[in-house]
Amino acid sequence: GAGNQALNFDGTNDYVEVSSARKLYRVFESGKWTITYFANTAVTTGSYPISFGNSASGSIYTAMLFNASSKVQVNSAGGGGANLVGAAVNSATPNKWERYTITADAAVPEFSIRVNSVVADSNALPPSYSVGEIDRFTIGALGISTTIAYVAGFLTDFRVYNYAISQRLDRLLA
């Protein structure tokens, strides 16, 4: 459902599947990309606001999550299944609107998470990081081959950029 123009997820079985996910591959294959969105989630442990990958291979290339400690984290099978950034930083706050920005820049190489336009964590992009062919882009759940974790709360204003936006531009876009 929608609440004040935001998507409202119940945490049990709601998610949005982006039908043009294959077209997004062009955005991610360059190694420079940004995803931004606002979240106000009731539960901030073990939930995945966003994930993308390939359903045929079951590969999850990147998934942004609130881990078991309510920390903001990005994992990637494209990086050898490793946490890319954020496992020990900035707890997600339940029932509070926050803006999340995830950037990858292969030229630097750097991967970062910003919360409310402030760098929460950044790491060197692993040399093994790559995004294969994408055919699934899911909002509100970890859903590549099967859906295993849902978000409870509100998500809105999802944007995908084909470049890594700077922190300054991130503040202006907020």
Side-chain angles (χ1 to χ4, degrees):
N4 293 333
Q5 304 304 312
L7 297 173
N8 183 2
F9 297 92
D10 66 8
T12 11
N13 60 3
D14 292 345
Y15 64 94
V16 173
E17 190 70 42
V18 177
S19 62
S20 58
R22 288 186 193 276
K23 293 178 182 176
L24 287 173
Y25 174 64
R26 291 185 194 104
V27 171
F28 298 113
E29 74 178 338
S30 71
K32 291 183 179 184
W33 52 267
T34 303
I35 298 171
T36 66
Y37 62 93
F38 287 87
N40 182 342
T41 57
V43 178
T44 58
T45 58
S47 62
Y48 293 76
I50 189 168
S51 60
F52 58 89
N54 185 283
S55 57
S57 67
S59 295
I60 301 167
Y61 297 117
T62 301
M64 190 276 181
L65 70 131
F66 302 125
N67 68 21
S69 302
S70 296
K71 304 291 186 182
V72 179
Q73 180 175 337
V74 176
N75 283 354
S76 173
N83 170 55
L84 289 176
V85 65
V89 299
N90 282 43
S91 294
T93 307
N95 302 307
K96 178 183 175 193
W97 281 106
E98 294 184 301
R99 183 170 183 271
Y100 296 93
T101 303
I102 306 160
T103 61
D105 189 342
V108 174
E110 183 180 76
F111 201 93
S112 69
I113 296 176
R114 296 186 199 114
V115 180
N116 299 320
S117 301
V118 176
V119 175
D121 195 18
S122 64
N123 283 328
L125 200 61
S128 61
Y129 181 79
S130 65
V131 174
E133 186 176 344
I134 295 169
D135 69 356
R136 298 219 34 199
F137 190 95
T138 306
I139 298 170
L142 175 61
I144 304 303
S145 296
T146 59
T147 302
I148 59 171
Y150 297 94
V151 167
F154 296 94
L155 301 174
T156 192
D157 200 18
F158 274 84
R159 297 177 186 190
V160 179
Y161 299 91
N162 61 351
Y163 53 92
I165 65 172
S166 67
Q167 186 175 5
R168 181 172 182 238
L169 180 56
D170 191 26
R171 278 190 226 111
L172 292 172
L173 293 171

